[in-house]
Every structure is written in C-alpha cells, then in structure tokens.
Amino acid sequence: MGPEDTNALVEVSLAADTLFAQAGLDLPPDDPREMLDHVERVLVAVTGQGVCGLAATVTLDGAVHLEQLAVHPDHGRRGIGGALLEAVCARAREDGHGRVTLTTFRDLPWNGPWYARRGFEELPRAEWGPALERQWEAEERAGIMVRPRLAMARPLGDG
C-alpha cells in the first residue's frame, strides 16, 4: 500500500467519523494512520471516484477482530458497509477462524443494532479473551467510551 492509498483510507475514515459528531458524540481526535499501521488486513471498497470504504482487522484471541469499518458518507446506505462486513467474515472463515469480534457503540443505529441485524450478538465479558480485554482497556484510555459500548461476536460456522 502506497502513501496515496493510505491518504485515501485516512480520508474515508475521517469522513465516516463525522457521523459520530452529527449524532452528538464528542470523540477524541483520531489519527487513522495509527490504526492502519497496526492492523493485519485492510479490505477496501472502490468506486469510479476512488476509495469509498474500508474494513480493517486484527487477530485477537484466535478470532478475527474488526478494528474499523468505515464508509464515506457520500457513499453511505448503498450496501457498501454490509458488503465489506460479509467479505471480512468470508475471509475469516476461509482462514479457519470460528468467529469475528468487534467493539462498538451499543445504541447508535449504525453500530450495535446494525451489527445485530447481520448476525452479531453481544459477547459477555466472561467470554472475552485477554487480547479483547486489552483492546477494551485501550479504547477506554483513548477516551472513546462516551456512550455505552459493547463487544459483539458473530460465529462463522462452516460456511
């Protein structure tokens, strides 16, 4: 991935973050480059105008963990996020993982409820592994716990 690719991904991520501000969430400033530097895989959605969405993942406790799913608001509500999410799940299954996990805001319509409609369920804290615990703690330290959050998981089965 070259610098121009990174710049396009950063632009999409920052644009997607504006939805949180519009919903009244005061999140701390975010530099998507830090996230992009530590993820293991980034799936990208592209239109004729260029990059319009991304799904970035890492592996936590043997599961694929969705670090970020972002779609540029100019391309929202067209199925791009859902397609990216399904691609993440398909790739995780192909790679032999049994589930995909994520952390998200519990009640924002395009967060917890959106993932629930796509097969994710709340993951009780007693079922978290140590890496997911560390992820949660890092999110707390980063200051993004400005509304109730939850961890979710989607079992992948055999396809």
Side-chain angles (χ1 to χ4, degrees), residues 50-109:
V51 174
C52 64
L54 68 103
T57 62
V58 295
T59 304
L60 298 180
D61 304 313
V64 169
H65 182 80
L66 184 62
E67 180 77 14
Q68 182 181 41
L69 178 65
V71 175
H72 195 289
D74 291 349
H75 298 277
R77 305 191 57 80
R78 298 180 193 170
I80 294 168
L84 283 166
L85 182 62
E86 291 308 315
V88 165
C89 291
R91 183 69 65 90
R93 186 180 304 108
E94 289 168 11
D95 290 345
H97 295 280
R99 70 182 182 182
V100 173
T101 63
L102 57 87
T103 59
T104 192
F105 291 104
R106 179 179 296 279
D107 300 318
L108 286 180

Side-chain angles (χ1 to χ4, degrees), residues 9-76:
L9 294 173
V10 166
E11 180 182 331
V12 167
S13 179
L14 293 174
D17 283 352
T18 64
L19 295 175
F20 294 104
Q22 291 172 15
L25 272 72
D26 185 21
L27 293 171
D30 180 37
D31 183 355
R33 284 176 178 80
E34 293 175 14
M35 180 268 305
L36 292 169
D37 284 345
H38 85 267
V39 296
E40 297 164 5
R41 179 176 281 158
V42 179
L43 301 179
V44 179
V46 179
T47 67
Q49 294 87 30
V51 174
C52 64
L54 68 103
T57 62
V58 295
T59 304
L60 298 180
D61 304 313
V64 169
H65 182 80
L66 184 62
E67 180 77 14
Q68 182 181 41
L69 178 65
V71 175
H72 195 289
D74 291 349
H75 298 277

